[in-house]
Amino acid sequence: MAGTAQIGVTGLAVMGRNLARNFARNGYTVALHNRTASRTRDLVEQFGHEGTFVPAETAEEFVAALERPRRLVVMVKAGAATDAVIDEFAPLLEPGDMIIDGGNAHFADTRRREAALRERGLHFVGTGISGGEEGALNGPSIMPGGSEEAYESLGPMLETISAKAADGTPCCTHIGADGAGHFVKMVHNGIEYADMQLIAEAYDLLRHGAGYEPARIAEVFRGWNAGRLDSYLIEITAEVLAHVDAATGQPLVDVILDQAEQKGTGRWTVQIALDLGVPVSGIAEAVFARSLSGHADLRAVGRGLAGPTPVALPADEAERFASQVEEALYASKVVSYTQGFHQLQAAGAEYGWTLDLGAIAGIWRGGCIIRAAFLDRITAAYAKDAALPSLLADEQFAGELGAAQDAWRTVVATAARLGIPVPGFATALSYYDALRAPRLPAALTQGQRDFFGAHTYHRVDRDGVFHTTWSEDRSEEQQS
Ligand code: NBP
């Protein structure tokens, strides 16, 4: 007998459990399964009243509970566990059935799994899900890859449980074939790293440059949140900075150990950007800044190095500086999104995905950590010109960065003068200036390469490939 559940979730730790509840709360009948059956029973005991659940103890029962074509969501620990679950379930499924991997898989694993399951007539839908446990329950941003055919069957359900943007649009769209969904989720996380790093630098500048205390900085961030920087991350930054530690009476931020951790998706973004040859320097600096913070021994040695001790600016200058920091933060943020979207464009070309970059920005407007008013602007930029080569080629963004650049330069220069590290702000400004430059010193790099390794070069005035015999000051054209 065919099952009745429209969807099933296997893997009922915090993410899977909340996702299953989200489906049930939206009126779907949800089959439940977990390797350790007690988790399944707990869910039904605690939340059974929220909707219609069909608990299953064995894989066979679980598969039998699903209507056809079956939609089976896997929410287990990414990596070997995902392969183990696929190996367990795939033999029980029939052509046309769908396995939806909602974990944080590496997109290359997703491509491998999709290809293998396609051979067996099964759809494998690697799906990026952003928003943590709260998002999983109340509406995440959802980035499904896989085939069009699978999306036709699955998409409406995912759109129903997804977050909604302020204009009511679901934060879910079909991203593209095979691993496209997990790729986009990965870049989303990389951008999140960059956003967080830039905000942290802005805080450091306000603290040690403007000389503001955390409570005052919280106020500044609240003000920024009412403007063009309006976003979840700016909002929570104000909350974190305003928080006072109950045990010591100090600002909590002062008693938190200053060593940041990372889960790996930011690192993947940078690793893959290197493979694709895309400069995502903002994301890379964010990953490196976290790494550096964790090298406690190195930092202990480095504390003795010479440098200026930051002396806060006079009060009247501090206020102007704070508004310049806002401009620098906004401009640097635009650059890190520019770089992230460049990576998406490059991946689309490399892996044959037709990515709708405007729609991708659109589904990050709700549910996820980087949700921000500013994303509407990215959608608008791609709506104007879907083939925009870079976000900085958009007139509006270019105009805003042009208007911000004096402040941006002042902030980076002031940080250097005061000895405040701003790797994110500085690399963003360098990227901007490198794009503006009529000539880059890459010409010299090419000369050096030809000098020591006969790597050849191109000329600006003639076609062809050239090599100079440096000892004889003789340049000759080479056949390529
Ligand atoms: P975990 O990543 O902690 O995984 C625990 C689940 O995996 C349990 O259900 C566990 O079953 C199951 N599992 C493991 Br471990 N090995 C298994 C195996 N060999 N066979 C079958 N099941 C196995 O859970 P989570 O924190 O809920 O995260 C689930 C996924 O969502 C992960 O991929 C994670 O990276 C991703 N995630 C995303 C976000 C986000 O914001 N999008 C946040 C957090 C996590 P058991 O109960 O029997 O041990």
Side-chain angles (χ1 to χ4, degrees), residues 195-207 212-227 229-242 322 325-326 329 425:
D195 256 351
M196 292 173 70
Q197 173 64 21
L198 293 172
I199 291 171
E201 290 177 20
Y203 153 74
D204 217 21
L205 287 161
L206 294 178
R207 187 88 192 253
Y212 293 174
E213 288 305 309
R216 173 130 189 226
I217 303 174
E219 283 307 314
V220 171
F221 274 92
R222 276 192 199 109
W224 290 354
N225 201 39
L229 284 168
D230 173 4
S231 60
Y232 172 73
L233 278 171
I234 294 282
E235 183 190 326
I236 65 159
T237 301
E239 301 244 342
V240 172
L241 288 171
V325 171
E326 189 272 346
L329 174 55
F425 281 22

mmCIF file of all heavy atoms in Angstrom, residues 195-207 212-227 229-242 322 325-326 329 425:
data_model
loop_
_atom_site.group_PDB
_atom_site.id
_atom_site.type_symbol
_atom_site.label_atom_id
_atom_site.label_comp_id
_atom_site.label_asym_id
_atom_site.label_seq_id
_atom_site.Cartn_x
_atom_site.Cartn_y
_atom_site.Cartn_z
ATOM 1 N N ASP A 195 31.157 39.637 6.005
ATOM 2 C CA ASP A 195 30.275 40.607 6.666
ATOM 3 C C ASP A 195 30.637 40.731 8.150
ATOM 4 O O ASP A 195 30.754 41.826 8.689
ATOM 5 C CB ASP A 195 28.814 40.101 6.597
ATOM 6 C CG ASP A 195 27.989 40.854 5.551
ATOM 7 O OD1 ASP A 195 28.480 41.846 5.009
ATOM 8 O OD2 ASP A 195 26.843 40.420 5.299
ATOM 9 N N MET A 196 30.799 39.583 8.797
ATOM 10 C CA MET A 196 31.096 39.586 10.235
ATOM 11 C C MET A 196 32.452 40.219 10.525
ATOM 12 O O MET A 196 32.615 40.963 11.487
ATOM 13 C CB MET A 196 31.035 38.160 10.792
ATOM 14 C CG MET A 196 29.631 37.604 10.795
ATOM 15 S SD MET A 196 29.589 35.866 11.257
ATOM 16 C CE MET A 196 30.013 35.943 12.987
ATOM 17 N N GLN A 197 33.434 39.930 9.680
ATOM 18 C CA GLN A 197 34.761 40.502 9.870
ATOM 19 C C GLN A 197 34.714 42.020 9.725
ATOM 20 O O GLN A 197 35.292 42.756 10.535
ATOM 21 C CB GLN A 197 35.742 39.884 8.856
ATOM 22 C CG GLN A 197 37.124 40.516 8.843
ATOM 23 C CD GLN A 197 37.895 40.339 10.142
ATOM 24 O OE1 GLN A 197 37.596 39.437 10.937
ATOM 25 N NE2 GLN A 197 38.875 41.197 10.391
ATOM 26 N N LEU A 198 34.006 42.500 8.712
ATOM 27 C CA LEU A 198 33.936 43.951 8.488
ATOM 28 C C LEU A 198 33.243 44.639 9.669
ATOM 29 O O LEU A 198 33.668 45.704 10.115
ATOM 30 C CB LEU A 198 33.189 44.250 7.180
ATOM 31 C CG LEU A 198 33.909 43.796 5.899
ATOM 32 C CD1 LEU A 198 32.999 43.967 4.678
ATOM 33 C CD2 LEU A 198 35.214 44.574 5.696
ATOM 34 N N ILE A 199 32.206 44.019 10.176
ATOM 35 C CA ILE A 199 31.507 44.597 11.335
ATOM 36 C C ILE A 199 32.446 44.619 12.545
ATOM 37 O O ILE A 199 32.505 45.590 13.303
ATOM 38 C CB ILE A 199 30.217 43.806 11.635
ATOM 39 C CG1 ILE A 199 29.189 44.045 10.527
ATOM 40 C CG2 ILE A 199 29.646 44.182 12.996
ATOM 41 C CD1 ILE A 199 27.953 43.154 10.611
ATOM 42 N N ALA A 200 33.220 43.539 12.701
ATOM 43 C CA ALA A 200 34.161 43.474 13.834
ATOM 44 C C ALA A 200 35.217 44.575 13.708
ATOM 45 O O ALA A 200 35.592 45.203 14.704
ATOM 46 C CB ALA A 200 34.821 42.096 13.874
ATOM 47 N N GLU A 201 35.667 44.823 12.485
ATOM 48 C CA GLU A 201 36.662 45.886 12.286
ATOM 49 C C GLU A 201 36.046 47.254 12.596
ATOM 50 O O GLU A 201 36.692 48.119 13.198
ATOM 51 C CB GLU A 201 37.205 45.841 10.852
ATOM 52 C CG GLU A 201 38.082 44.625 10.612
ATOM 53 C CD GLU A 201 38.586 44.497 9.173
ATOM 54 O OE1 GLU A 201 38.596 45.494 8.436
ATOM 55 O OE2 GLU A 201 38.988 43.379 8.797
ATOM 56 N N ALA A 202 34.797 47.446 12.170
ATOM 57 C CA ALA A 202 34.120 48.725 12.451
ATOM 58 C C ALA A 202 34.036 48.933 13.964
ATOM 59 O O ALA A 202 34.300 50.033 14.480
ATOM 60 C CB ALA A 202 32.730 48.732 11.825
ATOM 61 N N TYR A 203 33.703 47.871 14.675
ATOM 62 C CA TYR A 203 33.642 47.943 16.146
ATOM 63 C C TYR A 203 34.999 48.334 16.721
ATOM 64 O O TYR A 203 35.109 49.237 17.566
ATOM 65 C CB TYR A 203 33.184 46.581 16.702
ATOM 66 C CG TYR A 203 33.674 46.310 18.098
ATOM 67 C CD1 TYR A 203 33.121 46.967 19.201
ATOM 68 C CD2 TYR A 203 34.728 45.414 18.319
ATOM 69 C CE1 TYR A 203 33.598 46.732 20.487
ATOM 70 C CE2 TYR A 203 35.207 45.177 19.586
ATOM 71 C CZ TYR A 203 34.649 45.841 20.675
ATOM 72 O OH TYR A 203 35.130 45.625 21.933
ATOM 73 N N ASP A 204 36.058 47.694 16.228
ATOM 74 C CA ASP A 204 37.407 47.942 16.744
ATOM 75 C C ASP A 204 37.813 49.404 16.507
ATOM 76 O O ASP A 204 38.439 50.037 17.360
ATOM 77 C CB ASP A 204 38.381 47.008 16.011
ATOM 78 C CG ASP A 204 39.490 46.493 16.907
ATOM 79 O OD1 ASP A 204 39.312 46.504 18.140
ATOM 80 O OD2 ASP A 204 40.547 46.091 16.371
ATOM 81 N N LEU A 205 37.428 49.906 15.338
ATOM 82 C CA LEU A 205 37.758 51.303 15.000
ATOM 83 C C LEU A 205 36.996 52.269 15.904
ATOM 84 O O LEU A 205 37.537 53.278 16.346
ATOM 85 C CB LEU A 205 37.414 51.568 13.532
ATOM 86 C CG LEU A 205 38.355 50.916 12.511
ATOM 87 C CD1 LEU A 205 37.696 50.847 11.131
ATOM 88 C CD2 LEU A 205 39.671 51.687 12.432
ATOM 89 N N LEU A 206 35.739 51.947 16.179
ATOM 90 C CA LEU A 206 34.949 52.827 17.046
ATOM 91 C C LEU A 206 35.460 52.750 18.494
ATOM 92 O O LEU A 206 35.464 53.732 19.221
ATOM 93 C CB LEU A 206 33.466 52.447 16.997
ATOM 94 C CG LEU A 206 32.771 52.665 15.647
ATOM 95 C CD1 LEU A 206 31.321 52.208 15.709
ATOM 96 C CD2 LEU A 206 32.829 54.136 15.237
ATOM 97 N N ARG A 207 35.928 51.575 18.856
ATOM 98 C CA ARG A 207 36.402 51.394 20.236
ATOM 99 C C ARG A 207 37.741 52.093 20.442
ATOM 100 O O ARG A 207 37.925 52.855 21.378
ATOM 101 C CB ARG A 207 36.544 49.876 20.483
ATOM 102 C CG ARG A 207 36.879 49.493 21.922
ATOM 103 C CD ARG A 207 35.628 49.322 22.732
ATOM 104 N NE ARG A 207 35.854 49.239 24.151
ATOM 105 C CZ ARG A 207 35.760 48.136 24.875
ATOM 106 N NH1 ARG A 207 35.437 46.991 24.283
ATOM 107 N NH2 ARG A 207 35.943 48.153 26.177
ATOM 108 N N TYR A 212 35.031 55.005 21.821
ATOM 109 C CA TYR A 212 33.701 54.748 22.380
ATOM 110 C C TYR A 212 33.682 53.449 23.199
ATOM 111 O O TYR A 212 34.364 52.487 22.868
ATOM 112 C CB TYR A 212 32.655 54.609 21.264
ATOM 113 C CG TYR A 212 32.368 55.864 20.470
ATOM 114 C CD1 TYR A 212 31.533 55.807 19.357
ATOM 115 C CD2 TYR A 212 32.891 57.103 20.837
ATOM 116 C CE1 TYR A 212 31.242 56.949 18.616
ATOM 117 C CE2 TYR A 212 32.601 58.249 20.105
ATOM 118 C CZ TYR A 212 31.786 58.163 18.998
ATOM 119 O OH TYR A 212 31.497 59.280 18.268
ATOM 120 N N GLU A 213 32.836 53.445 24.215
ATOM 121 C CA GLU A 213 32.609 52.226 25.009
ATOM 122 C C GLU A 213 31.568 51.351 24.283
ATOM 123 O O GLU A 213 30.793 51.861 23.472
ATOM 124 C CB GLU A 213 32.096 52.599 26.403
ATOM 125 C CG GLU A 213 33.147 53.214 27.300
ATOM 126 C CD GLU A 213 34.387 52.321 27.431
ATOM 127 O OE1 GLU A 213 34.222 51.119 27.738
ATOM 128 O OE2 GLU A 213 35.506 52.815 27.186
ATOM 129 N N PRO A 214 31.537 50.038 24.601
ATOM 130 C CA PRO A 214 30.605 49.149 23.885
ATOM 131 C C PRO A 214 29.149 49.627 23.879
ATOM 132 O O PRO A 214 28.475 49.514 22.854
ATOM 133 C CB PRO A 214 30.756 47.821 24.636
ATOM 134 C CG PRO A 214 32.166 47.846 25.123
ATOM 135 C CD PRO A 214 32.451 49.276 25.479
ATOM 136 N N ALA A 215 28.672 50.182 25.003
ATOM 137 C CA ALA A 215 27.261 50.607 25.036
ATOM 138 C C ALA A 215 27.015 51.713 24.011
ATOM 139 O O ALA A 215 25.982 51.741 23.330
ATOM 140 C CB ALA A 215 26.896 51.090 26.439
ATOM 141 N N ARG A 216 27.975 52.610 23.884
ATOM 142 C CA ARG A 216 27.832 53.700 22.914
ATOM 143 C C ARG A 216 27.922 53.142 21.488
ATOM 144 O O ARG A 216 27.201 53.589 20.594
ATOM 145 C CB ARG A 216 28.941 54.732 23.175
ATOM 146 C CG ARG A 216 28.993 55.808 22.142
ATOM 147 C CD ARG A 216 29.033 57.188 22.755
ATOM 148 N NE ARG A 216 28.870 58.217 21.755
ATOM 149 C CZ ARG A 216 29.617 59.306 21.682
ATOM 150 N NH1 ARG A 216 30.567 59.504 22.584
ATOM 151 N NH2 ARG A 216 29.405 60.204 20.742
ATOM 152 N N ILE A 217 28.808 52.183 21.307
ATOM 153 C CA ILE A 217 28.940 51.588 19.965
ATOM 154 C C ILE A 217 27.643 50.863 19.594
ATOM 155 O O ILE A 217 27.199 50.894 18.448
ATOM 156 C CB ILE A 217 30.163 50.638 19.899
ATOM 157 C CG1 ILE A 217 31.433 51.407 20.280
ATOM 158 C CG2 ILE A 217 30.309 50.038 18.506
ATOM 159 C CD1 ILE A 217 32.677 50.552 20.402
ATOM 160 N N ALA A 218 27.018 50.255 20.585
ATOM 161 C CA ALA A 218 25.721 49.597 20.345
ATOM 162 C C ALA A 218 24.726 50.622 19.790
ATOM 163 O O ALA A 218 23.981 50.343 18.840
ATOM 164 C CB ALA A 218 25.193 48.976 21.630
ATOM 165 N N GLU A 219 24.750 51.823 20.371
ATOM 166 C CA GLU A 219 23.858 52.896 19.888
ATOM 167 C C GLU A 219 24.178 53.263 18.442
ATOM 168 O O GLU A 219 23.277 53.460 17.620
ATOM 169 C CB GLU A 219 23.993 54.148 20.770
ATOM 170 C CG GLU A 219 23.269 54.054 22.097
ATOM 171 C CD GLU A 219 21.809 53.668 21.912
ATOM 172 O OE1 GLU A 219 21.142 54.242 21.038
ATOM 173 O OE2 GLU A 219 21.339 52.761 22.627
ATOM 174 N N VAL A 220 25.474 53.359 18.158
ATOM 175 C CA VAL A 220 25.892 53.698 16.793
ATOM 176 C C VAL A 220 25.365 52.635 15.823
ATOM 177 O O VAL A 220 24.793 52.947 14.773
ATOM 178 C CB VAL A 220 27.435 53.809 16.704
ATOM 179 C CG1 VAL A 220 27.880 53.951 15.250
ATOM 180 C CG2 VAL A 220 27.946 54.972 17.543
ATOM 181 N N PHE A 221 25.518 51.361 16.200
ATOM 182 C CA PHE A 221 25.049 50.282 15.320
ATOM 183 C C PHE A 221 23.523 50.334 15.160
ATOM 184 O O PHE A 221 23.008 50.077 14.079
ATOM 185 C CB PHE A 221 25.506 48.912 15.846
ATOM 186 C CG PHE A 221 26.888 48.534 15.364
ATOM 187 C CD1 PHE A 221 28.020 48.847 16.099
ATOM 188 C CD2 PHE A 221 27.067 47.880 14.150
ATOM 189 C CE1 PHE A 221 29.296 48.528 15.649
ATOM 190 C CE2 PHE A 221 28.340 47.552 13.683
ATOM 191 C CZ PHE A 221 29.464 47.880 14.434
ATOM 192 N N ARG A 222 22.829 50.674 16.222
ATOM 193 C CA ARG A 222 21.363 50.794 16.099
ATOM 194 C C ARG A 222 21.013 51.867 15.085
ATOM 195 O O ARG A 222 20.102 51.701 14.276
ATOM 196 C CB ARG A 222 20.738 51.139 17.455
ATOM 197 C CG ARG A 222 20.524 49.905 18.271
ATOM 198 C CD ARG A 222 19.649 50.121 19.502
ATOM 199 N NE ARG A 222 19.917 49.004 20.385
ATOM 200 C CZ ARG A 222 20.585 49.069 21.529
ATOM 201 N NH1 ARG A 222 21.006 50.226 21.989
ATOM 202 N NH2 ARG A 222 20.812 47.989 22.236
ATOM 203 N N GLY A 223 21.747 52.954 15.132
ATOM 204 C CA GLY A 223 21.525 54.033 14.153
ATOM 205 C C GLY A 223 21.803 53.539 12.739
ATOM 206 O O GLY A 223 21.016 53.776 11.821
ATOM 207 N N TRP A 224 22.900 52.826 12.561
ATOM 208 C CA TRP A 224 23.240 52.306 11.235
ATOM 209 C C TRP A 224 22.169 51.339 10.734
ATOM 210 O O TRP A 224 21.883 51.270 9.545
ATOM 211 C CB TRP A 224 24.588 51.567 11.275
ATOM 212 C CG TRP A 224 25.769 52.483 11.486
ATOM 213 C CD1 TRP A 224 25.762 53.852 11.534
ATOM 214 C CD2 TRP A 224 27.130 52.086 11.681
ATOM 215 N NE1 TRP A 224 27.029 54.329 11.746
ATOM 216 C CE2 TRP A 224 27.897 53.271 11.844
ATOM 217 C CE3 TRP A 224 27.784 50.852 11.748
ATOM 218 C CZ2 TRP A 224 29.272 53.238 12.051
ATOM 219 C CZ3 TRP A 224 29.158 50.834 11.957
ATOM 220 C CH2 TRP A 224 29.890 52.013 12.109
ATOM 221 N N ASN A 225 21.591 50.624 11.687
ATOM 222 C CA ASN A 225 20.584 49.634 11.297
ATOM 223 C C ASN A 225 19.310 50.292 10.750
ATOM 224 O O ASN A 225 18.484 49.629 10.127
ATOM 225 C CB ASN A 225 20.250 48.725 12.487
ATOM 226 C CG ASN A 225 19.642 47.420 12.049
ATOM 227 O OD1 ASN A 225 20.074 46.849 11.040
ATOM 228 N ND2 ASN A 225 18.630 46.956 12.761
ATOM 229 N N ALA A 226 19.166 51.569 10.983
ATOM 230 C CA ALA A 226 18.002 52.284 10.437
ATOM 231 C C ALA A 226 18.312 52.826 9.044
ATOM 232 O O ALA A 226 17.449 53.442 8.412
ATOM 233 C CB ALA A 226 17.615 53.424 11.381
ATOM 234 N N GLY A 227 19.536 52.626 8.576
ATOM 235 C CA GLY A 227 19.924 53.157 7.267
ATOM 236 C C GLY A 227 20.223 52.049 6.267
ATOM 237 O O GLY A 227 19.654 50.960 6.339
ATOM 238 N N LEU A 229 22.621 50.095 5.999
ATOM 239 C CA LEU A 229 23.251 48.873 6.518
ATOM 240 C C LEU A 229 22.244 47.968 7.237
ATOM 241 O O LEU A 229 22.635 46.944 7.821
ATOM 242 C CB LEU A 229 24.392 49.237 7.478
ATOM 243 C CG LEU A 229 25.685 49.721 6.809
ATOM 244 C CD1 LEU A 229 26.628 50.324 7.859
ATOM 245 C CD2 LEU A 229 26.392 48.586 6.080
ATOM 246 N N ASP A 230 20.980 48.342 7.197
ATOM 247 C CA ASP A 230 19.908 47.582 7.847
ATOM 248 C C ASP A 230 20.049 46.081 7.549
ATOM 249 O O ASP A 230 19.924 45.651 6.401
ATOM 250 C CB ASP A 230 18.567 48.110 7.302
ATOM 251 C CG ASP A 230 17.378 47.292 7.770
ATOM 252 O OD1 ASP A 230 17.572 46.363 8.577
ATOM 253 O OD2 ASP A 230 16.251 47.573 7.320
ATOM 254 N N SER A 231 20.335 45.305 8.591
ATOM 255 C CA SER A 231 20.556 43.868 8.386
ATOM 256 C C SER A 231 20.507 43.148 9.726
ATOM 257 O O SER A 231 20.686 43.754 10.787
ATOM 258 C CB SER A 231 21.934 43.617 7.756
ATOM 259 O OG SER A 231 22.939 44.113 8.614
ATOM 260 N N TYR A 232 20.304 41.847 9.643
ATOM 261 C CA TYR A 232 20.270 41.012 10.845
ATOM 262 C C TYR A 232 21.589 41.105 11.613
ATOM 263 O O TYR A 232 21.610 41.240 12.839
ATOM 264 C CB TYR A 232 19.981 39.568 10.419
ATOM 265 C CG TYR A 232 20.100 38.553 11.518
ATOM 266 C CD1 TYR A 232 19.143 38.472 12.526
ATOM 267 C CD2 TYR A 232 21.160 37.653 11.548
ATOM 268 C CE1 TYR A 232 19.252 37.531 13.543
ATOM 269 C CE2 TYR A 232 21.275 36.708 12.552
ATOM 270 C CZ TYR A 232 20.328 36.655 13.546
ATOM 271 O OH TYR A 232 20.442 35.729 14.545
ATOM 272 N N LEU A 233 22.719 41.055 10.881
ATOM 273 C CA LEU A 233 24.010 41.042 11.571
ATOM 274 C C LEU A 233 24.292 42.364 12.293
ATOM 275 O O LEU A 233 24.864 42.369 13.387
ATOM 276 C CB LEU A 233 25.140 40.711 10.585
ATOM 277 C CG LEU A 233 25.329 39.214 10.300
ATOM 278 C CD1 LEU A 233 26.308 38.995 9.154
ATOM 279 C CD2 LEU A 233 25.818 38.472 11.542
ATOM 280 N N ILE A 234 23.889 43.488 11.699
ATOM 281 C CA ILE A 234 24.096 44.780 12.382
ATOM 282 C C ILE A 234 23.186 44.836 13.614
ATOM 283 O O ILE A 234 23.595 45.275 14.691
ATOM 284 C CB ILE A 234 23.788 45.960 11.428
ATOM 285 C CG1 ILE A 234 24.803 45.994 10.275
ATOM 286 C CG2 ILE A 234 23.763 47.282 12.184
ATOM 287 C CD1 ILE A 234 26.162 46.566 10.603
ATOM 288 N N GLU A 235 21.966 44.328 13.443
ATOM 289 C CA GLU A 235 21.005 44.335 14.563
ATOM 290 C C GLU A 235 21.539 43.526 15.748
ATOM 291 O O GLU A 235 21.557 44.000 16.882
ATOM 292 C CB GLU A 235 19.697 43.731 14.048
ATOM 293 C CG GLU A 235 18.573 43.721 15.027
ATOM 294 C CD GLU A 235 17.407 42.884 14.487
ATOM 295 O OE1 GLU A 235 17.177 42.866 13.262
ATOM 296 O OE2 GLU A 235 16.747 42.236 15.314
ATOM 297 N N ILE A 236 22.040 42.307 15.471
ATOM 298 C CA ILE A 236 22.493 41.485 16.603
ATOM 299 C C ILE A 236 23.813 42.006 17.174
ATOM 300 O O ILE A 236 24.107 41.817 18.343
ATOM 301 C CB ILE A 236 22.592 39.977 16.259
ATOM 302 C CG1 ILE A 236 23.670 39.704 15.214
ATOM 303 C CG2 ILE A 236 21.256 39.400 15.853
ATOM 304 C CD1 ILE A 236 24.135 38.251 15.231
ATOM 305 N N THR A 237 24.592 42.692 16.332
ATOM 306 C CA THR A 237 25.835 43.278 16.838
ATOM 307 C C THR A 237 25.510 44.293 17.935
ATOM 308 O O THR A 237 26.168 44.327 18.986
ATOM 309 C CB THR A 237 26.610 43.970 15.693
ATOM 310 O OG1 THR A 237 26.891 42.996 14.695
ATOM 311 C CG2 THR A 237 27.924 44.552 16.186
ATOM 312 N N ALA A 238 24.489 45.116 17.692
ATOM 313 C CA ALA A 238 24.087 46.097 18.707
ATOM 314 C C ALA A 238 23.679 45.391 19.999
ATOM 315 O O ALA A 238 24.045 45.810 21.099
ATOM 316 C CB ALA A 238 22.939 46.956 18.175
ATOM 317 N N GLU A 239 22.961 44.281 19.851
ATOM 318 C CA GLU A 239 22.515 43.528 21.044
ATOM 319 C C GLU A 239 23.699 42.953 21.802
ATOM 320 O O GLU A 239 23.758 43.013 23.025
ATOM 321 C CB GLU A 239 21.603 42.374 20.620
ATOM 322 C CG GLU A 239 20.380 42.818 19.876
ATOM 323 C CD GLU A 239 19.106 42.500 20.620
ATOM 324 O OE1 GLU A 239 19.151 41.659 21.528
ATOM 325 O OE2 GLU A 239 18.085 43.120 20.280
ATOM 326 N N VAL A 240 24.635 42.365 21.052
ATOM 327 C CA VAL A 240 25.802 41.747 21.699
ATOM 328 C C VAL A 240 26.600 42.826 22.442
ATOM 329 O O VAL A 240 27.017 42.644 23.591
ATOM 330 C CB VAL A 240 26.698 41.027 20.659
ATOM 331 C CG1 VAL A 240 28.007 40.560 21.285
ATOM 332 C CG2 VAL A 240 25.953 39.840 20.042
ATOM 333 N N LEU A 241 26.786 43.986 21.804
ATOM 334 C CA LEU A 241 27.608 45.038 22.411
ATOM 335 C C LEU A 241 26.923 45.655 23.633
ATOM 336 O O LEU A 241 27.592 46.130 24.547
ATOM 337 C CB LEU A 241 27.920 46.121 21.373
ATOM 338 C CG LEU A 241 28.929 45.687 20.300
ATOM 339 C CD1 LEU A 241 29.024 46.736 19.195
ATOM 340 C CD2 LEU A 241 30.310 45.445 20.919
ATOM 341 N N ALA A 242 25.598 45.657 23.636
ATOM 342 C CA ALA A 242 24.876 46.264 24.763
ATOM 343 C C ALA A 242 24.795 45.303 25.954
ATOM 344 O O ALA A 242 24.441 45.707 27.057
ATOM 345 C CB ALA A 242 23.469 46.647 24.313
ATOM 346 N N ALA A 322 33.301 58.305 13.184
ATOM 347 C CA ALA A 322 32.285 57.245 13.265
ATOM 348 C C ALA A 322 31.444 57.220 11.986
ATOM 349 O O ALA A 322 31.113 56.148 11.464
ATOM 350 C CB ALA A 322 31.399 57.450 14.490
ATOM 351 N N VAL A 325 33.448 55.661 9.281
ATOM 352 C CA VAL A 325 33.513 54.201 9.428
ATOM 353 C C VAL A 325 32.265 53.562 8.796
ATOM 354 O O VAL A 325 32.350 52.528 8.134
ATOM 355 C CB VAL A 325 33.670 53.790 10.914
ATOM 356 C CG1 VAL A 325 33.519 52.283 11.082
ATOM 357 C CG2 VAL A 325 35.014 54.247 11.463
ATOM 358 N N GLU A 326 31.119 54.207 8.963
ATOM 359 C CA GLU A 326 29.894 53.680 8.328
ATOM 360 C C GLU A 326 30.077 53.612 6.817
ATOM 361 O O GLU A 326 29.719 52.637 6.161
ATOM 362 C CB GLU A 326 28.691 54.563 8.702
ATOM 363 C CG GLU A 326 27.341 53.999 8.278
ATOM 364 C CD GLU A 326 26.881 54.378 6.866
ATOM 365 O OE1 GLU A 326 27.443 55.291 6.259
ATOM 366 O OE2 GLU A 326 25.952 53.733 6.363
ATOM 367 N N LEU A 329 32.496 50.856 5.947
ATOM 368 C CA LEU A 329 31.873 49.546 6.149
ATOM 369 C C LEU A 329 30.950 49.228 4.975
ATOM 370 O O LEU A 329 30.983 48.118 4.417
ATOM 371 C CB LEU A 329 31.106 49.538 7.478
ATOM 372 C CG LEU A 329 30.263 48.308 7.796
ATOM 373 C CD1 LEU A 329 31.087 47.020 7.739
ATOM 374 C CD2 LEU A 329 29.625 48.430 9.181
ATOM 375 N N PHE A 425 38.692 45.911 5.541
ATOM 376 C CA PHE A 425 38.520 47.244 4.929
ATOM 377 C C PHE A 425 39.635 47.506 3.921
ATOM 378 O O PHE A 425 39.399 48.038 2.837
ATOM 379 C CB PHE A 425 38.577 48.342 6.007
ATOM 380 C CG PHE A 425 37.314 48.530 6.803
ATOM 381 C CD1 PHE A 425 36.376 47.522 6.913
ATOM 382 C CD2 PHE A 425 37.065 49.720 7.461
ATOM 383 C CE1 PHE A 425 35.214 47.699 7.665
ATOM 384 C CE2 PHE A 425 35.918 49.913 8.207
ATOM 385 C CZ PHE A 425 34.992 48.899 8.313
#
